[in-house]
Amino acid sequence: MIKAILIFNNHGKPRLIRFYQYFAEDMQQQIIRETFHLVSKRDDNVCNFLEGIYFTLIYRHYATLYFVFCVDSSESELGILDLIQVFVETLDKCFENVCELDLIFHMDKVHYILQEVVMGGMVLETNMNEIVAQVELQNRMEKSEGGLSGAPARAVSAVKNMNLPEIPRNINIGDINIKVPSLSPF
Amino acid sequence: MALKIVKGSIDRMFDKNLQDLVRGIRNHKEDEAKYISTCIDEIKQELKQDNIAVKANAVCKLTYLQMLGYDVSWAAFNIVEVMSSSKFTYKRIGYLAASQCFHEGTDVIMLTTNQIRKDLSSPNQYDTGVALTGLSCFVTPDLARDLANDIMTLMSHTKPYIRKKAVLIMYKVFLKYPESLRPAFPRLKEKLEDPDPGVQSAAVNVICELARRNPKNYLSLAPLFFKLMTSSTNNWVLIKIIKLFGALTPLEPRLGKKLIEPLTNLIHSTSAMSLLYECVNTVIAVLISLSSGMPNHSASIQLCVQKLRILIEDSDQNLKYLGLLAMSKILKTHPKSVQSHKDLILQCLDDKDESIRLRALDLLYGMVSKKNLMEIVKKLMLHVDKAEGTTYRDELLTKIIDICSQSNYQYITNFEWYISILVELTRLEGTRHGHLIASQMLDVAIRVKAIRGFAVAQMATLLDNAHLLTGNTQRNGICEVLYAAAWICGEFSEHLEDPMQTLEAMLRPKVATLPGHIQAVYVQNAAKLFATVLQKHEGETDSQAAQETSQLLIDRLPLFVQSANLEVQERASCILQLVKYIQKLQQKNVEVAEEVTALFAGELNPVAPKAQKKVPIPEGLDLDAWINEPPSESESEDEKPKVVFAKEEPKHYRSRHTEVDEKELARRREVRKQEQANNPFYIKASPSSQKVYDAPGVEHIPVVQIDLSVPLKVPGMPMSDQYLKLEEERRQKEKAERKKKEKKKKREKRGKGRKADSGPESEEDITPAHQVDIVTEEMPENALPSDDDDKDPNDPHKALDIDLDKPLADSEKLPVRTHRPEVLKSPAEDRDSKSVPQETKKKSSKEKKEKKKDKEKDRKRSKEEKKKKKKHKEVEEELLESQPEEAVQSEETKEAAAPPTSTSAEASDLDFWLSSAPVPPAAAQEVTAPSSAAAVDTSSAAAPESEPDEPKDTEPEDTKSSKHKKKKQKKEKEEKEKKKKKRHHHHHHHGDAGGEDSVQNGTVEEEEPLPPMSNYSLLAENSYIKMVYDIQGNHQDESKVVVSVIFENKSDSFLKSMEFNVLDSLNSKLQRPEGAGPHDGLTVPFQLPPGVSNEARFVFSVQSIVMPQKLKGTLTFIVKSDESSTHEKLDFKLHFTCTSYLITTPCYSDAYAKLLESGDLKGSSLRLEGINMPFHHLLARICFHHHFSVVERIDSCASMYSRSIQGHHVCLLVKTSDQTVSIDAKCDEPSLLGNVLDEIKQTFSKC
């Protein structure tokens, strides 16, 4: 069983947390802190497993992010390591050159992708194409419903259309926002 | 109005969405908390709005805040609202938030049951998927119970996407609602062979997870998994299966033997390191399970070790780490094969990765032997020197001590060496483990008598150089060692060379800076030393020196009397007064030494750490009771020192008798030596051997040499010199050993007669130099046996320890809330969740046949391997016996009808599968196929019928084998009887607890087993497909019955697009989904690969139930083979008997009597002639086929009861005499009764 999946950056800021065993919020934060403490002091050229306080930790370090899977003894260490790779590659496909900013602003989407890989602590799918296909189908469905930001977007266009009827229909405010990374990195 | 909506939208346009929130937080780094609290206020406002989009947006933001550690449980209700949105976009947000923050304590969860159920049956697969994903994170026992059946239905969904999710979530359901495991397991097992690899992998995943916790219940699946292992190409699945086998092999060594070959093949063939590693791991597990007497597996061990060496040598740190991990598993059973790789492991100690170093250390722990201990520890000591960072160094320190002290210092041949190692370790800076070293010193000094002289000398030097240890305040941890040193010097002061010097060292003013408890030991032991010194001087009649000693104490002790520590103060003043008194006596020239020594007389024995715990509490003693009234104020300060004092006290009461012993020993030794010297055949021990340390006498020169050279320099001298010295010593010893071995060989040639008495000196020359007084850890008399319970009572998996091979009882079926088959959307009526279970048993005659065939095969094979079988039979019996008895199971007629042989049948399948000698994989598959097919129908009433037939089938020509057969049969019978007895007992137990009907229904009380029964009857059959069906009613709905149809694909082609249609009559209608026309067919929710069968259920509504009915129908389907696909159809007639409207309902005898007395019922009767079956069979048949239950039974007369779905009571009185059965019946609906009786008549005319 996978007990938890944690993604945090080089400074220990959580980017995604997913516990498959219940912990209260403060305990979750403590686990993140302790895990970060354990993982961050390790060189990049040492092995990717270590015994954590609560579980075995299997992690990979990509650029600014740590992907940590907390597992029990029923999981194969190398298997999980491959799974992390699959997950990250999937993120890369879905976000097109994924970077930390994608995860920061689209935590929900990352969750949806993760849900197609791991369910309730057990591995659901390891085939990347299958995962991507399912994620895309669901995104398409969301789009056909107008998306979360769809309603305000339509409202915007409704207001604007009063004066400027030639404005294109489907403005997706969400999309616009992503493309403005005028942000100081952490 | 429209304007208002637009205005609302514009307002919302300025709401923050998730991205805005994130950006805002990033822009408010200084006052993040403040910013977030304003955001939460905004969110609260948004949640108050009616617009679901706004709410969803707010919930989405909350999910983000939850990640940052904010408790968002206050919004749980809003999350539920968003979950129930009809739009997928919002639903998904809701479920995500729920999965992040709901848990068992969230009270709104109970509001979600209906919503989740609705989502699960949604036509949109992604709604279902999202609900399953969410549920997997927050499922509670209540949700699990209410939704188990819905999820189980989804396991046969048409979309693999849903199937695999449903299969995975079942694990969570099992955990929360263990009762669902048995009813759901057959379907879960089917999914192991699902055409979709994803579903298959999910099923493997779940079963592996289950089996890991309770492996013995899953042994019968081994053949199926074996087949999967040899056929699957999905590495993920393979890894899981191989890991599972690792858990199963310890229970069944024969399985291990079977596994070795395919696993070895995989090891050779696979390129995936993950798979290779797991294979090696499982082979190791197999080898461990086989460890006794399997010589020919050395090749496998070699292969494993060799592969692991490759892993360890790899540049990839991960492989290195895992290689070491696996190596440590081999080590436990095959230490020799690992020890040859010592070089490699020592090399890993130099690795830059700390976790690898720690793993290597673990390995070293198991690798030491008498021969290499010193070498390994030397290497470790070097690492201690080099190690940066105190944690790793401390780890090394504890490891060194662990390695040396393991299993009672088994590997230490030279305790002097060990003491010097301990002394060296005291020089570690800033270690936390001072007390550990100290306790080792004490332990060794107390338990190894022969080393005391050496130890005391070492400790004296330590005390002398105490300033080195205490000088640096950083080293406070290590000063614990002085505690040990002082105590040892005091207690064994007779070994001291110069007690005066040590006494002086212990009374230095600097000592006052040590922690209190150490000072206390100093003072106490100074007194002991004083006694020794006195004795020494009086022996030499040097009264001057003796008085000087007293004066020294009188001068120094006042320092301690002033100590802030009460313990020190008390002891010091006590001893000070004593010494003053002694001084007075000395001045009068009175000899006092004898009396003073008597103060400290007595031998200390090591006491086992658990000894105190093991003292049984005498009867009538209540330890918690107050002896006096509780004191009003704290007296702890007074008590504390007493506790410490108590430690020292016992010796006062013991007389010293050991000296006599030692004298006696010495005398005997002398005599023996004399004898040996006179014996020309006796080969004397070489003087350099460590053996000479054995006697603590004076004439052993080598001892003195080492004593002097090593210890005196320890504190000041550089470490490496010390090592060199030790190394030299070791080499010397090795040489001596070699010499001795050669000599021994010679001697053996000469004559073996003397071998026995000269044993200790020859061969195992690495025998410990000192007699280790280790076994004698003292335990109190009549100590309680160990009661270490390592099982966690809270382990959720404990509840899942359920025997899965037992046939399913009706009572175990999953609760169904509404009466709805997979395909139909039932009207969402709110009903009690305790409806009658609709799950039915599967059984087709075809399967039975297959089973028979299988048995025949089995028999033939067994003849070939009768010898093997014989042996295994016994094992099997054991296995059967060990199968746990189901504790919770209410007895119902159907269950009673199913004889308990199915387990034994299965077990013998497994047995057979296991007993066949390792076959090439192809053949193995052939064998496993039928057995797994037989295994599929666990839930069915397994057939005992083959047992009576057996003798007929056995060919008479082979008399021997038939003899054997009989034996086997006998055994089987015995087994059965055993089982029955158990059952019998079980029944009574239940009868006591659960009311009368269960006793009455328990037809198993009879000796004869019941024939198998099935309610499934043939619906239609052609060359492609066969359909059998069963109809069952439901208490909850008086106008609905469920028709369960099992479709079995008989062809070699794939059957798909099956559509089931029935021509409705006025009275009975097939329930079709909303919006479907009255003549539309229903799609069967699965496809059938060749040879596979599956079950679908259809709901029919009926109006009148008093008459039987027939409905015409058609099944259309597409047959798809490799080259072509054709459209086929099959007509059938569904026969709704009146029996199918009856529901088995238990009835108490008093209620039954009242019912009959009421006079509302009309009577009818029936006579059956020529029935020659036992009465209990007859009753069982009526119960099983016609849904009755037995109310009461007296001899050959029984009353029975049933109820129709519309509430008609049907009562029967069945009597039998001489092949004639008369049935008097009463019912409030005469035509229904008439039809039921006709049907009963038909049932018995068939047989």
Side-chain angles (χ1 to χ4, degrees), chain A residues 35 38-39 48-52 55-59 68-70:
Chain A
T35 311
L38 283 173
V39 165
N48 298 78
F49 322 115
L50 75 161
E51 294 302 324
F55 339 87
T56 304
L57 307 178
I58 301 171
Y59 73 97
V68 186
F69 279 45
C70 311

Side-chain angles (χ1 to χ4, degrees), chain A residues 47-48 125 134 145 156 186, chain B residues 26 89 126 164 318 353:
Chain A
C47 80
N48 298 78
E125 185 60 67
Q134 296 296 353
E145 286 180 349
V156 173
F186 271 72
Chain B
R26 288 161 69 87
T89 315
Y126 291 112
K164 71 183 175 194
N318 292 327
D353 187 349

Side-chain angles (χ1 to χ4, degrees), chain B residues 94 144 158 310 383 407 421 517 522 534 536 561-562 593 664 723 806 833 902 914 976 995 1003 1067 1081 1084 1110 1178:
Chain B
T158 43
I310 294 173
H383 278 280
S407 38
I421 288 286
H517 67 284
Y522 264 67
L534 273 189
K536 206 173 177 184
V561 176
Q562 291 159 13
E664 170 75 353
Y723 284 125
K806 257 183 146 177
S833 62
S902 79
L914 287 169
K976 232 186 275 165
T1003 36
N1067 192 31
V1084 179
K1110 279 182 184 169
L1178 180 100

Side-chain angles (χ1 to χ4, degrees), chain B residues 588-721:
Chain B
K588 288 177 197 160
N589 272 333
V590 183
E591 292 216 340
V592 286
E594 207 60 38
E595 278 86 359
V596 177
T597 319
L599 282 176
F600 305 108
E603 179 79 354
L604 274 184
N605 287 329
V607 176
K610 282 184 193 160
Q612 181 66 46
K613 224 167 60 184
K614 301 277 171 160
V615 179
I617 297 174
E619 240 175 272
L621 175 63
D622 181 7
L623 289 177
D624 295 329
W626 287 103
I627 298 170
N628 299 310
E629 280 305 298
S632 50
E633 55 210 321
S634 152
E635 288 172 25
S636 61
E637 267 187 312
D638 287 342
E639 278 165 32
K640 218 173 169 184
K642 266 182 210 156
V643 174
V644 184
F645 225 122
K647 260 182 167 173
E648 318 273 331
E649 267 169 1
K651 59 177 166 283
H652 296 291
Y653 309 122
R654 295 207 187 137
S655 65
R656 177 166 277 179
H657 50 80
T658 38
E659 255 169 62
V660 186
D661 278 359
E662 265 163 30
K663 270 179 201 158
E664 170 75 353
L665 268 177
R667 194 183 56 78
R668 282 187 210 153
R669 215 175 279 127
E670 211 43 51
V671 172
R672 197 170 68 229
K673 260 186 203 147
Q674 209 70 102
E675 256 174 52
Q676 283 165 358
N678 295 336
N679 188 341
F681 298 108
Y682 187 80
I683 294 159
K684 280 140 218 148
S686 83
S688 65
S689 133
Q690 70 266 51
K691 186 63 205 161
V692 285
Y693 306 146
D694 208 344
V698 222
E699 74 276 8
H700 298 284
I701 299 137
V703 180
V704 181
Q705 239 174 20
I706 293 164
D707 271 351
L708 290 176
S709 60
V710 184
L712 290 181
K713 289 177 196 165
V714 168
M717 131 195 191
M719 289 262 203
S720 51
D721 286 3

Side-chain angles (χ1 to χ4, degrees), chain B residues 304-332:
Chain B
C304 285
V305 175
Q306 186 193 327
K307 286 282 173 187
L308 288 180
R309 188 176 174 111
I310 294 173
L311 289 185
I312 296 173
E313 281 172 338
D314 200 286
S315 59
D316 184 345
Q317 298 285 328
N318 292 327
L319 298 182
K320 195 174 276 211
Y321 177 86
L322 293 175
L324 289 170
L325 201 63
M327 204 65 119
S328 65
K329 287 180 194 156
I330 301 188
L331 188 70
K332 279 175 202 139

Side-chain angles (χ1 to χ4, degrees), chain B residues 791-822:
Chain B
K791 278 215 171 175
D792 176 14
N794 297 326
D795 184 9
H797 296 277
K798 238 184 169 179
L800 285 181
D801 189 1
I802 294 169
D803 183 1
L804 294 163
D805 294 331
K806 257 183 146 177
L808 205 60
D810 266 11
S811 55
E812 284 185 298
K813 282 161 189 171
L814 292 176
V816 188
R817 177 176 147 281
T818 54
H819 200 171
R820 165 194 39 187
E822 302 89 308

Side-chain angles (χ1 to χ4, degrees), chain B residues 901-939:
Chain B
T901 38
S902 79
T903 34
S904 77
E906 284 234 344
S908 64
D909 277 342
L910 177 70
D911 191 51
F912 166 64
W913 179 77
L914 287 169
S915 62
S916 56
V919 269
Q925 271 182 48
E926 201 185 287
V927 181
T928 49
S931 71
S932 65
V936 169
D937 67 352
T938 15
S939 62

Side-chain angles (χ1 to χ4, degrees), chain B residues 11 76 80 194 290 411 564 633 640 697 786 793 1026 1074 1103 1229:
Chain B
D11 282 350
V80 174
D194 195 278
L290 293 177
Y411 299 114
E633 55 210 321
K640 218 173 169 184
S786 171
K1026 178 177 159 184
E1074 282 168 61
Q1103 282 177 352
E1229 178 56 64

